[in-house]
Amino acid sequence: QGLSVLVGLALCVTMLGLGCAVELGQLGQQLRRPVGLLLALLGQFVAMPLLAFLLALIFALDEVAAVAVLLCGCCPGGNLSNLMSVLVDGDMNLSIIMTASSTLLALFLMPLCLWVYSRHWINTALVRLLPLGAVSLTLGSTLLPIGLGVLIRYRHPRAADLLVKISLWSLLVTLVILFILTGTMLGPDLMAHIPASVYAIAVLMPLAGYALGYGLATVFKMPPHCRRTVSLETGCQNVQLCTAILKLTFPPELIGSMYMFPLLYALFQSAEAGLFVLVYKMYGRDSYKQDTLGEEEDTDISYKKLKEEEVADTSYGTVTTEEHNSIQMEPTQTAL
């Protein structure tokens, strides 16, 4: 029960921080040109659920492990992507809009994706008991802290900035606490019962998500910093939401050790995103700076050309300004 309370509080704090990061002006701009909304739809509710389904088939998972993997694959984007986007000089407005829009779309599309992709295991007891209503209820409960966060951003921007930082740190701390507590409660024997295929999927799924997101942004011909943002947004899932749904809606005797899958996914998605950031800091940042300097040099050159064009031809005379704003023409001698 204490673990359930911790999961619920962590989810509320995360959603509150997400709401505090949304500005109504930016939201209006994105709705007028809904590229971020379209990318969130394609990445989180087309690419990732299909990827989870294919991995579950390829590794021949049983119904319990398959439901855990599908649930994680159908979740919206998580706040970890916002933090990582800052570290790779990504487009923060795009990152926040994609996270927020995928969270709102999840209210309708997440139960639909679960229903569609669980058909392969429909003859099993767990899938027949799949609590789509409870999933929708849990998703609906996240709208309240998101709405409260948007209101705080609108009325108290400084307090909203502080809450965003608190939510990001609480995200990291909560995941560590959940991993330690759950591992201690389940014990090493039960941890050993998690199939090797599940560990393999926890490694491959975020990595493939990052690659799919980058490819999706490339198809849309987005600039490099937006490609990095979309890549992180696609691969980073809201594991707090996945953990909350598994914990609050499924009987523990049915879900068993698969409760650990979203925590394993969180561990590997963080590690792989950290490698992404490290590689960018070592190799990609120099090219980013050169592109920025190149833009500045082009601006200086165009400015100099403009100034040269503005210089008047003074071969026949010069204009001088004296006191009292009087203007005199001083003739100059012209060689014949």
Side-chain angles (χ1 to χ4, degrees):
Q1 289 178 354
L3 204 58
S4 299
V5 171
L6 179 62
V7 168
L9 287 176
L11 183 61
C12 287
V13 172
T14 301
M15 294 298 102
L16 179 65
L18 176 60
C20 287
V22 177
E23 293 187 6
L24 294 178
Q26 295 174 357
L27 187 61
Q29 292 176 2
Q30 290 293 330
L31 290 177
R32 286 192 293 271
R33 189 174 177 270
V35 177
L37 182 65
L38 180 60
L39 288 171
L41 174 65
L42 293 176
Q44 297 297 344
F45 302 108
V46 176
M48 290 305 290
L50 180 59
L51 173 64
F53 175 72
L54 292 176
L55 287 173
L57 287 182
I58 291 170
F59 285 92
L61 298 183
D62 59 25
E63 69 276 9
V64 177
V67 165
V69 171
L70 284 175
L71 189 61
C72 193
C74 295
C75 277
N79 285 33
L80 178 67
S81 59
N82 306 140
L83 178 62
M84 293 300 178
S85 294
V86 174
L87 298 178
V88 296
D89 299 314
D91 189 333
M92 277 307 297
N93 289 336
L94 177 62
S95 177
I96 291 169
I97 290 299
M98 284 187 67
T99 305
S101 58
S102 67
T103 303
L104 296 177
L105 288 170
L107 185 63
F108 308 100
L109 295 180
M110 188 176 174
L112 177 62
C113 289
L114 282 173
W115 183 81
V116 169
Y117 287 108
S118 65
R119 297 297 92 191
H120 182 77
W121 298 273
I122 191 62
N123 293 325
T124 59
L126 182 65
V127 174
R128 285 200 301 268
L129 294 173
L130 190 63
L132 295 178
V135 171
S136 300
L137 184 62
T138 305
L139 288 168
S141 65
T142 63
L143 296 180
L144 182 60
I146 291 175
L148 180 60
V150 173
L151 181 62
I152 293 174
R153 165 62 66 181
Y154 179 72
R155 293 185 176 273
H156 307 285
R158 291 185 179 179
D161 292 335
L162 179 62
L163 286 172
V164 169
K165 293 178 181 178
I166 291 174
S167 69
L168 289 175
W169 280 108
S170 68
L171 164 67
L172 300 176
V173 173
T174 303
L175 289 176
V176 172
I177 293 174
L178 281 175
F179 197 85
I180 294 173
L181 287 179
T182 308
T184 304
M185 292 171 63
L186 292 177
D189 293 336
L190 197 54
M191 287 282 290
H193 289 160
I194 297 177
S197 57
V198 173
Y199 284 99
I201 290 176
V203 174
L204 293 174
M205 193 168 154
L207 194 61
Y210 295 141
L212 284 172
Y214 199 90
L216 187 63
T218 304
V219 170
F220 277 78
K221 298 180 179 179
M222 304 190 77
H225 70 290
C226 290
R227 293 180 191 178
R228 295 192 295 270
T229 303
V230 176
S231 173
L232 290 167
E233 280 293 328
T234 305
C236 290
Q237 300 296 87
N238 191 337
V239 290
Q240 299 98 313
L241 179 61
C242 184
T243 305
I245 291 173
L246 285 174
K247 184 65 181 169
L248 302 176
T249 60
F250 286 95
E253 62 272 11
L254 286 180
I255 204 66
S257 60
M258 285 302 103
Y259 173 71
M260 287 295 293
F261 178 77
L263 300 179
L264 290 173
Y265 188 94
L267 177 66
F268 289 114
Q269 82 172 2
S270 302
E272 291 166 6
L275 288 175
F276 191 163
V277 172
L278 182 62
V279 170
Y280 172 74
K281 294 292 185 184
M282 292 176 64
Y283 301 104
R285 195 173 182 83
D286 292 336
S287 61
Y288 174 77
K289 288 181 178 178
Q290 288 176 2
D291 292 342
T292 306
L293 289 174
E295 291 177 0
E296 292 177 355
E297 288 174 359
D298 292 342
T299 304
D300 292 340
I301 291 171
S302 61
Y303 177 73
K304 289 176 182 177
K305 286 182 179 180
L306 182 61
K307 293 298 289 182
E308 289 174 359
E309 290 175 358
E310 288 179 351
V311 175
D313 184 5
T314 58
S315 59
Y316 294 101
T318 57
V319 180
T320 60
T321 306
E322 297 180 351
E323 294 182 357
H324 308 294
N325 296 326
S326 62
I327 301 176
Q328 270 187 326
M329 294 292 296
E330 293 182 358
T332 58
Q333 294 181 355
T334 305
L336 297 177

mmCIF file of all heavy atoms in Angstrom, residues 86-128:
data_model
loop_
_atom_site.group_PDB
_atom_site.id
_atom_site.type_symbol
_atom_site.label_atom_id
_atom_site.label_comp_id
_atom_site.label_asym_id
_atom_site.label_seq_id
_atom_site.Cartn_x
_atom_site.Cartn_y
_atom_site.Cartn_z
ATOM 1 N N VAL A 86 17.312 19.505 -23.279
ATOM 2 C CA VAL A 86 18.124 20.656 -22.876
ATOM 3 C C VAL A 86 19.602 20.335 -23.050
ATOM 4 O O VAL A 86 20.392 21.161 -23.525
ATOM 5 C CB VAL A 86 17.824 21.038 -21.406
ATOM 6 C CG1 VAL A 86 18.768 22.130 -20.922
ATOM 7 C CG2 VAL A 86 16.384 21.494 -21.260
ATOM 8 N N LEU A 87 20.007 19.131 -22.688
ATOM 9 C CA LEU A 87 21.419 18.752 -22.709
ATOM 10 C C LEU A 87 21.971 18.572 -24.117
ATOM 11 O O LEU A 87 23.186 18.625 -24.315
ATOM 12 C CB LEU A 87 21.616 17.457 -21.908
ATOM 13 C CG LEU A 87 21.246 17.540 -20.424
ATOM 14 C CD1 LEU A 87 21.427 16.183 -19.753
ATOM 15 C CD2 LEU A 87 22.093 18.587 -19.702
ATOM 16 N N VAL A 88 21.102 18.341 -25.116
ATOM 17 C CA VAL A 88 21.574 18.184 -26.494
ATOM 18 C C VAL A 88 21.208 19.395 -27.355
ATOM 19 O O VAL A 88 21.175 19.296 -28.583
ATOM 20 C CB VAL A 88 21.023 16.887 -27.134
ATOM 21 C CG1 VAL A 88 21.538 15.666 -26.408
ATOM 22 C CG2 VAL A 88 19.493 16.897 -27.165
ATOM 23 N N ASP A 89 20.939 20.529 -26.710
ATOM 24 C CA ASP A 89 20.592 21.781 -27.421
ATOM 25 C C ASP A 89 19.410 21.572 -28.361
ATOM 26 O O ASP A 89 19.412 22.017 -29.519
ATOM 27 C CB ASP A 89 21.797 22.311 -28.216
ATOM 28 C CG ASP A 89 22.975 22.632 -27.310
ATOM 29 O OD1 ASP A 89 22.750 23.267 -26.266
ATOM 30 O OD2 ASP A 89 24.113 22.246 -27.631
ATOM 31 N N GLY A 90 18.390 20.877 -27.863
ATOM 32 C CA GLY A 90 17.210 20.634 -28.678
ATOM 33 C C GLY A 90 16.210 21.777 -28.631
ATOM 34 O O GLY A 90 16.465 22.831 -28.036
ATOM 35 N N ASP A 91 15.082 21.576 -29.284
ATOM 36 C CA ASP A 91 14.008 22.574 -29.318
ATOM 37 C C ASP A 91 13.076 22.302 -28.132
ATOM 38 O O ASP A 91 12.257 21.385 -28.165
ATOM 39 C CB ASP A 91 13.240 22.450 -30.636
ATOM 40 C CG ASP A 91 12.246 23.580 -30.851
ATOM 41 O OD1 ASP A 91 11.765 24.148 -29.841
ATOM 42 O OD2 ASP A 91 11.929 23.893 -32.012
ATOM 43 N N MET A 92 13.210 23.113 -27.083
ATOM 44 C CA MET A 92 12.452 22.871 -25.860
ATOM 45 C C MET A 92 10.960 23.063 -26.058
ATOM 46 O O MET A 92 10.148 22.338 -25.478
ATOM 47 C CB MET A 92 12.953 23.767 -24.728
ATOM 48 C CG MET A 92 14.165 23.240 -24.001
ATOM 49 S SD MET A 92 13.932 21.552 -23.402
ATOM 50 C CE MET A 92 12.593 21.776 -22.252
ATOM 51 N N ASN A 93 10.568 24.042 -26.863
ATOM 52 C CA ASN A 93 9.137 24.252 -27.120
ATOM 53 C C ASN A 93 8.532 23.017 -27.780
ATOM 54 O O ASN A 93 7.447 22.552 -27.395
ATOM 55 C CB ASN A 93 8.928 25.470 -28.021
ATOM 56 C CG ASN A 93 9.229 26.766 -27.302
ATOM 57 O OD1 ASN A 93 9.165 26.839 -26.083
ATOM 58 N ND2 ASN A 93 9.580 27.796 -28.050
ATOM 59 N N LEU A 94 9.239 22.463 -28.762
ATOM 60 C CA LEU A 94 8.764 21.254 -29.443
ATOM 61 C C LEU A 94 8.702 20.079 -28.468
ATOM 62 O O LEU A 94 7.742 19.303 -28.474
ATOM 63 C CB LEU A 94 9.694 20.927 -30.611
ATOM 64 C CG LEU A 94 9.386 19.653 -31.399
ATOM 65 C CD1 LEU A 94 8.017 19.740 -32.049
ATOM 66 C CD2 LEU A 94 10.468 19.399 -32.446
ATOM 67 N N SER A 95 9.714 19.956 -27.612
ATOM 68 C CA SER A 95 9.757 18.851 -26.646
ATOM 69 C C SER A 95 8.568 18.903 -25.691
ATOM 70 O O SER A 95 7.893 17.895 -25.460
ATOM 71 C CB SER A 95 11.068 18.899 -25.858
ATOM 72 O OG SER A 95 11.115 17.886 -24.884
ATOM 73 N N ILE A 96 8.301 20.076 -25.137
ATOM 74 C CA ILE A 96 7.215 20.216 -24.159
ATOM 75 C C ILE A 96 5.858 19.988 -24.818
ATOM 76 O O ILE A 96 4.985 19.310 -24.267
ATOM 77 C CB ILE A 96 7.292 21.596 -23.490
ATOM 78 C CG1 ILE A 96 8.533 21.670 -22.596
ATOM 79 C CG2 ILE A 96 6.038 21.874 -22.664
ATOM 80 C CD1 ILE A 96 8.853 23.059 -22.109
ATOM 81 N N ILE A 97 5.678 20.546 -26.020
ATOM 82 C CA ILE A 97 4.398 20.379 -26.716
ATOM 83 C C ILE A 97 4.167 18.918 -27.069
ATOM 84 O O ILE A 97 3.047 18.393 -26.939
ATOM 85 C CB ILE A 97 4.360 21.271 -27.974
ATOM 86 C CG1 ILE A 97 4.266 22.751 -27.572
ATOM 87 C CG2 ILE A 97 3.186 20.897 -28.865
ATOM 88 C CD1 ILE A 97 3.031 23.104 -26.777
ATOM 89 N N MET A 98 5.213 18.201 -27.493
ATOM 90 C CA MET A 98 5.052 16.787 -27.831
ATOM 91 C C MET A 98 4.689 15.974 -26.597
ATOM 92 O O MET A 98 3.817 15.097 -26.654
ATOM 93 C CB MET A 98 6.340 16.251 -28.457
ATOM 94 C CG MET A 98 6.564 16.675 -29.899
ATOM 95 S SD MET A 98 7.991 15.842 -30.656
ATOM 96 C CE MET A 98 7.391 14.146 -30.719
ATOM 97 N N THR A 99 5.357 16.260 -25.458
ATOM 98 C CA THR A 99 5.046 15.527 -24.226
ATOM 99 C C THR A 99 3.614 15.797 -23.775
ATOM 100 O O THR A 99 2.868 14.869 -23.419
ATOM 101 C CB THR A 99 6.025 15.920 -23.104
ATOM 102 O OG1 THR A 99 7.364 15.717 -23.553
ATOM 103 C CG2 THR A 99 5.792 15.087 -21.856
ATOM 104 N N ALA A 100 3.225 17.069 -23.778
ATOM 105 C CA ALA A 100 1.881 17.432 -23.309
ATOM 106 C C ALA A 100 0.801 16.881 -24.226
ATOM 107 O O ALA A 100 -0.205 16.322 -23.766
ATOM 108 C CB ALA A 100 1.763 18.950 -23.210
ATOM 109 N N SER A 101 0.994 17.003 -25.538
ATOM 110 C CA SER A 101 -0.036 16.542 -26.471
ATOM 111 C C SER A 101 -0.157 15.019 -26.458
ATOM 112 O O SER A 101 -1.266 14.474 -26.540
ATOM 113 C CB SER A 101 0.268 17.041 -27.886
ATOM 114 O OG SER A 101 1.544 16.602 -28.316
ATOM 115 N N SER A 102 0.968 14.302 -26.328
ATOM 116 C CA SER A 102 0.877 12.840 -26.267
ATOM 117 C C SER A 102 0.188 12.379 -24.987
ATOM 118 O O SER A 102 -0.530 11.376 -24.989
ATOM 119 C CB SER A 102 2.270 12.215 -26.372
ATOM 120 O OG SER A 102 3.059 12.509 -25.240
ATOM 121 N N THR A 103 0.379 13.134 -23.893
ATOM 122 C CA THR A 103 -0.305 12.793 -22.636
ATOM 123 C C THR A 103 -1.814 12.963 -22.771
ATOM 124 O O THR A 103 -2.595 12.134 -22.291
ATOM 125 C CB THR A 103 0.228 13.662 -21.488
ATOM 126 O OG1 THR A 103 1.641 13.483 -21.383
ATOM 127 C CG2 THR A 103 -0.415 13.289 -20.160
ATOM 128 N N LEU A 104 -2.243 14.025 -23.434
ATOM 129 C CA LEU A 104 -3.676 14.247 -23.627
ATOM 130 C C LEU A 104 -4.265 13.243 -24.621
ATOM 131 O O LEU A 104 -5.373 12.734 -24.420
ATOM 132 C CB LEU A 104 -3.918 15.679 -24.113
ATOM 133 C CG LEU A 104 -3.536 16.791 -23.126
ATOM 134 C CD1 LEU A 104 -3.755 18.166 -23.753
ATOM 135 C CD2 LEU A 104 -4.339 16.660 -21.837
ATOM 136 N N LEU A 105 -3.511 12.948 -25.690
ATOM 137 C CA LEU A 105 -3.992 11.970 -26.670
ATOM 138 C C LEU A 105 -4.094 10.571 -26.072
ATOM 139 O O LEU A 105 -4.920 9.756 -26.510
ATOM 140 C CB LEU A 105 -3.050 11.944 -27.882
ATOM 141 C CG LEU A 105 -3.102 13.147 -28.826
ATOM 142 C CD1 LEU A 105 -1.963 13.083 -29.826
ATOM 143 C CD2 LEU A 105 -4.440 13.211 -29.555
ATOM 144 N N ALA A 106 -3.250 10.298 -25.057
ATOM 145 C CA ALA A 106 -3.250 8.967 -24.435
ATOM 146 C C ALA A 106 -4.584 8.628 -23.785
ATOM 147 O O ALA A 106 -4.938 7.455 -23.654
ATOM 148 C CB ALA A 106 -2.135 8.887 -23.385
ATOM 149 N N LEU A 107 -5.329 9.644 -23.387
ATOM 150 C CA LEU A 107 -6.618 9.413 -22.746
ATOM 151 C C LEU A 107 -7.539 8.580 -23.633
ATOM 152 O O LEU A 107 -8.324 7.760 -23.142
ATOM 153 C CB LEU A 107 -7.264 10.762 -22.405
ATOM 154 C CG LEU A 107 -8.567 10.724 -21.614
ATOM 155 C CD1 LEU A 107 -8.343 10.108 -20.240
ATOM 156 C CD2 LEU A 107 -9.155 12.124 -21.485
ATOM 157 N N PHE A 108 -7.425 8.752 -24.945
ATOM 158 C CA PHE A 108 -8.283 8.017 -25.879
ATOM 159 C C PHE A 108 -7.513 6.920 -26.625
ATOM 160 O O PHE A 108 -8.040 5.836 -26.855
ATOM 161 C CB PHE A 108 -8.896 8.984 -26.900
ATOM 162 C CG PHE A 108 -9.577 10.166 -26.279
ATOM 163 C CD1 PHE A 108 -8.954 11.400 -26.209
ATOM 164 C CD2 PHE A 108 -10.851 10.036 -25.736
ATOM 165 C CE1 PHE A 108 -9.576 12.492 -25.626
ATOM 166 C CE2 PHE A 108 -11.480 11.113 -25.151
ATOM 167 C CZ PHE A 108 -10.852 12.347 -25.096
ATOM 168 N N LEU A 109 -6.260 7.228 -27.004
ATOM 169 C CA LEU A 109 -5.529 6.321 -27.886
ATOM 170 C C LEU A 109 -4.827 5.186 -27.153
ATOM 171 O O LEU A 109 -4.627 4.124 -27.726
ATOM 172 C CB LEU A 109 -4.495 7.124 -28.699
ATOM 173 C CG LEU A 109 -5.080 8.137 -29.684
ATOM 174 C CD1 LEU A 109 -3.981 8.858 -30.435
ATOM 175 C CD2 LEU A 109 -6.023 7.450 -30.665
ATOM 176 N N MET A 110 -4.445 5.397 -25.883
ATOM 177 C CA MET A 110 -3.750 4.332 -25.158
ATOM 178 C C MET A 110 -4.650 3.107 -24.934
ATOM 179 O O MET A 110 -4.238 1.977 -25.236
ATOM 180 C CB MET A 110 -3.200 4.863 -23.838
ATOM 181 C CG MET A 110 -2.310 3.883 -23.114
ATOM 182 S SD MET A 110 -1.601 4.628 -21.629
ATOM 183 C CE MET A 110 -0.772 3.194 -20.939
ATOM 184 N N PRO A 111 -5.886 3.280 -24.433
ATOM 185 C CA PRO A 111 -6.771 2.099 -24.340
ATOM 186 C C PRO A 111 -7.052 1.454 -25.695
ATOM 187 O O PRO A 111 -7.138 0.229 -25.800
ATOM 188 C CB PRO A 111 -8.056 2.662 -23.711
ATOM 189 C CG PRO A 111 -7.621 3.900 -23.002
ATOM 190 C CD PRO A 111 -6.525 4.467 -23.835
ATOM 191 N N LEU A 112 -7.179 2.286 -26.744
ATOM 192 C CA LEU A 112 -7.429 1.744 -28.082
ATOM 193 C C LEU A 112 -6.254 0.894 -28.556
ATOM 194 O O LEU A 112 -6.444 -0.220 -29.078
ATOM 195 C CB LEU A 112 -7.687 2.897 -29.066
ATOM 196 C CG LEU A 112 -7.893 2.504 -30.530
ATOM 197 C CD1 LEU A 112 -9.126 1.629 -30.676
ATOM 198 C CD2 LEU A 112 -7.999 3.744 -31.418
ATOM 199 N N CYS A 113 -5.016 1.414 -28.382
ATOM 200 C CA CYS A 113 -3.833 0.652 -28.799
ATOM 201 C C CYS A 113 -3.709 -0.646 -28.005
ATOM 202 O O CYS A 113 -3.361 -1.689 -28.563
ATOM 203 C CB CYS A 113 -2.573 1.505 -28.622
ATOM 204 S SG CYS A 113 -2.425 2.863 -29.791
ATOM 205 N N LEU A 114 -3.984 -0.601 -26.705
ATOM 206 C CA LEU A 114 -3.923 -1.809 -25.880
ATOM 207 C C LEU A 114 -4.936 -2.847 -26.370
ATOM 208 O O LEU A 114 -4.633 -4.047 -26.438
ATOM 209 C CB LEU A 114 -4.196 -1.463 -24.419
ATOM 210 C CG LEU A 114 -3.045 -0.835 -23.631
ATOM 211 C CD1 LEU A 114 -3.521 -0.402 -22.254
ATOM 212 C CD2 LEU A 114 -1.889 -1.819 -23.494
ATOM 213 N N TRP A 115 -6.133 -2.395 -26.679
ATOM 214 C CA TRP A 115 -7.178 -3.305 -27.156
ATOM 215 C C TRP A 115 -6.794 -3.928 -28.497
ATOM 216 O O TRP A 115 -6.968 -5.126 -28.721
ATOM 217 C CB TRP A 115 -8.492 -2.557 -27.278
ATOM 218 C CG TRP A 115 -9.626 -3.434 -27.699
ATOM 219 C CD1 TRP A 115 -10.372 -4.271 -26.915
ATOM 220 C CD2 TRP A 115 -10.135 -3.579 -29.040
ATOM 221 N NE1 TRP A 115 -11.313 -4.925 -27.677
ATOM 222 C CE2 TRP A 115 -11.191 -4.524 -28.981
ATOM 223 C CE3 TRP A 115 -9.806 -3.005 -30.264
ATOM 224 C CZ2 TRP A 115 -11.912 -4.890 -30.102
ATOM 225 C CZ3 TRP A 115 -10.520 -3.382 -31.392
ATOM 226 C CH2 TRP A 115 -11.565 -4.306 -31.301
ATOM 227 N N VAL A 116 -6.222 -3.114 -29.408
ATOM 228 C CA VAL A 116 -5.868 -3.609 -30.739
ATOM 229 C C VAL A 116 -4.737 -4.624 -30.664
ATOM 230 O O VAL A 116 -4.805 -5.719 -31.234
ATOM 231 C CB VAL A 116 -5.490 -2.429 -31.659
ATOM 232 C CG1 VAL A 116 -4.862 -2.939 -32.958
ATOM 233 C CG2 VAL A 116 -6.713 -1.579 -31.970
ATOM 234 N N TYR A 117 -3.656 -4.266 -29.954
ATOM 235 C CA TYR A 117 -2.451 -5.098 -29.987
ATOM 236 C C TYR A 117 -2.510 -6.290 -29.029
ATOM 237 O O TYR A 117 -1.675 -7.191 -29.127
ATOM 238 C CB TYR A 117 -1.219 -4.242 -29.689
ATOM 239 C CG TYR A 117 -0.852 -3.338 -30.829
ATOM 240 C CD1 TYR A 117 -1.047 -1.959 -30.755
ATOM 241 C CD2 TYR A 117 -0.323 -3.855 -32.014
ATOM 242 C CE1 TYR A 117 -0.718 -1.124 -31.809
ATOM 243 C CE2 TYR A 117 -0.006 -3.029 -33.078
ATOM 244 C CZ TYR A 117 -0.194 -1.671 -32.971
ATOM 245 O OH TYR A 117 0.113 -0.862 -34.018
ATOM 246 N N SER A 118 -3.454 -6.303 -28.102
ATOM 247 C CA SER A 118 -3.566 -7.460 -27.201
ATOM 248 C C SER A 118 -4.422 -8.578 -27.790
ATOM 249 O O SER A 118 -4.591 -9.618 -27.163
ATOM 250 C CB SER A 118 -4.155 -7.030 -25.853
ATOM 251 O OG SER A 118 -5.486 -6.568 -26.015
ATOM 252 N N ARG A 119 -4.938 -8.379 -29.013
ATOM 253 C CA ARG A 119 -5.798 -9.398 -29.635
ATOM 254 C C ARG A 119 -5.063 -10.720 -29.826
ATOM 255 O O ARG A 119 -5.685 -11.789 -29.836
ATOM 256 C CB ARG A 119 -6.306 -8.911 -31.004
ATOM 257 C CG ARG A 119 -7.195 -7.664 -31.011
ATOM 258 C CD ARG A 119 -8.490 -7.872 -30.273
ATOM 259 N NE ARG A 119 -8.385 -7.484 -28.867
ATOM 260 C CZ ARG A 119 -9.291 -7.753 -27.957
ATOM 261 N NH1 ARG A 119 -10.370 -8.441 -28.297
ATOM 262 N NH2 ARG A 119 -9.134 -7.373 -26.710
ATOM 263 N N HIS A 120 -3.755 -10.661 -30.007
ATOM 264 C CA HIS A 120 -2.987 -11.888 -30.229
ATOM 265 C C HIS A 120 -3.037 -12.813 -29.012
ATOM 266 O O HIS A 120 -2.944 -14.032 -29.158
ATOM 267 C CB HIS A 120 -1.542 -11.537 -30.567
ATOM 268 C CG HIS A 120 -0.682 -12.724 -30.863
ATOM 269 N ND1 HIS A 120 -0.730 -13.397 -32.066
ATOM 270 C CD2 HIS A 120 0.245 -13.376 -30.104
ATOM 271 C CE1 HIS A 120 0.134 -14.409 -32.034
ATOM 272 N NE2 HIS A 120 0.747 -14.410 -30.867
ATOM 273 N N TRP A 121 -3.186 -12.213 -27.822
ATOM 274 C CA TRP A 121 -3.202 -12.998 -26.580
ATOM 275 C C TRP A 121 -4.596 -12.990 -25.941
ATOM 276 O O TRP A 121 -4.740 -13.173 -24.751
ATOM 277 C CB TRP A 121 -2.194 -12.428 -25.576
ATOM 278 C CG TRP A 121 -0.779 -12.481 -26.077
ATOM 279 C CD1 TRP A 121 0.090 -13.526 -25.949
ATOM 280 C CD2 TRP A 121 -0.053 -11.460 -26.769
ATOM 281 N NE1 TRP A 121 1.307 -13.220 -26.515
ATOM 282 C CE2 TRP A 121 1.249 -11.958 -27.032
ATOM 283 C CE3 TRP A 121 -0.377 -10.172 -27.206
ATOM 284 C CZ2 TRP A 121 2.216 -11.222 -27.689
ATOM 285 C CZ3 TRP A 121 0.600 -9.436 -27.867
ATOM 286 C CH2 TRP A 121 1.874 -9.960 -28.115
ATOM 287 N N ILE A 122 -5.635 -12.799 -26.739
ATOM 288 C CA ILE A 122 -6.986 -12.605 -26.208
ATOM 289 C C ILE A 122 -7.517 -13.850 -25.495
ATOM 290 O O ILE A 122 -8.373 -13.754 -24.604
ATOM 291 C CB ILE A 122 -7.954 -12.182 -27.340
ATOM 292 C CG1 ILE A 122 -9.292 -11.711 -26.776
ATOM 293 C CG2 ILE A 122 -8.149 -13.332 -28.321
ATOM 294 C CD1 ILE A 122 -9.201 -10.512 -25.893
ATOM 295 N N ASN A 123 -7.025 -15.022 -25.837
ATOM 296 C CA ASN A 123 -7.534 -16.249 -25.225
ATOM 297 C C ASN A 123 -6.957 -16.520 -23.840
ATOM 298 O O ASN A 123 -7.296 -17.520 -23.213
ATOM 299 C CB ASN A 123 -7.239 -17.450 -26.138
ATOM 300 C CG ASN A 123 -8.024 -17.377 -27.434
ATOM 301 O OD1 ASN A 123 -9.155 -16.903 -27.434
ATOM 302 N ND2 ASN A 123 -7.421 -17.825 -28.520
ATOM 303 N N THR A 124 -6.067 -15.652 -23.366
ATOM 304 C CA THR A 124 -5.467 -15.844 -22.045
ATOM 305 C C THR A 124 -6.276 -15.097 -20.996
ATOM 306 O O THR A 124 -6.964 -14.114 -21.292
ATOM 307 C CB THR A 124 -4.016 -15.338 -22.033
ATOM 308 O OG1 THR A 124 -4.011 -13.953 -22.369
ATOM 309 C CG2 THR A 124 -3.178 -16.096 -23.048
ATOM 310 N N ALA A 125 -6.165 -15.563 -19.749
ATOM 311 C CA ALA A 125 -6.979 -14.995 -18.665
ATOM 312 C C ALA A 125 -6.637 -13.530 -18.411
ATOM 313 O O ALA A 125 -7.517 -12.704 -18.193
ATOM 314 C CB ALA A 125 -6.770 -15.811 -17.389
ATOM 315 N N LEU A 126 -5.353 -13.187 -18.451
ATOM 316 C CA LEU A 126 -4.943 -11.822 -18.121
ATOM 317 C C LEU A 126 -5.486 -10.815 -19.124
ATOM 318 O O LEU A 126 -5.977 -9.747 -18.751
ATOM 319 C CB LEU A 126 -3.415 -11.735 -18.062
ATOM 320 C CG LEU A 126 -2.854 -10.361 -17.682
ATOM 321 C CD1 LEU A 126 -3.247 -9.998 -16.254
ATOM 322 C CD2 LEU A 126 -1.347 -10.333 -17.826
ATOM 323 N N VAL A 127 -5.429 -11.161 -20.403
ATOM 324 C CA VAL A 127 -5.902 -10.233 -21.437
ATOM 325 C C VAL A 127 -7.420 -10.105 -21.389
ATOM 326 O O VAL A 127 -7.977 -9.026 -21.613
ATOM 327 C CB VAL A 127 -5.396 -10.677 -22.822
ATOM 328 C CG1 VAL A 127 -6.003 -9.819 -23.924
ATOM 329 C CG2 VAL A 127 -3.883 -10.609 -22.877
ATOM 330 N N ARG A 128 -8.111 -11.185 -21.060
ATOM 331 C CA ARG A 128 -9.571 -11.086 -20.910
ATOM 332 C C ARG A 128 -9.939 -10.178 -19.746
ATOM 333 O O ARG A 128 -10.988 -9.531 -19.765
ATOM 334 C CB ARG A 128 -10.173 -12.475 -20.709
ATOM 335 C CG ARG A 128 -10.245 -13.312 -21.973
ATOM 336 C CD ARG A 128 -11.265 -14.435 -21.833
ATOM 337 N NE ARG A 128 -10.941 -15.320 -20.727
ATOM 338 C CZ ARG A 128 -10.206 -16.420 -20.833
ATOM 339 N NH1 ARG A 128 -9.704 -16.756 -22.015
ATOM 340 N NH2 ARG A 128 -9.961 -17.188 -19.782
#
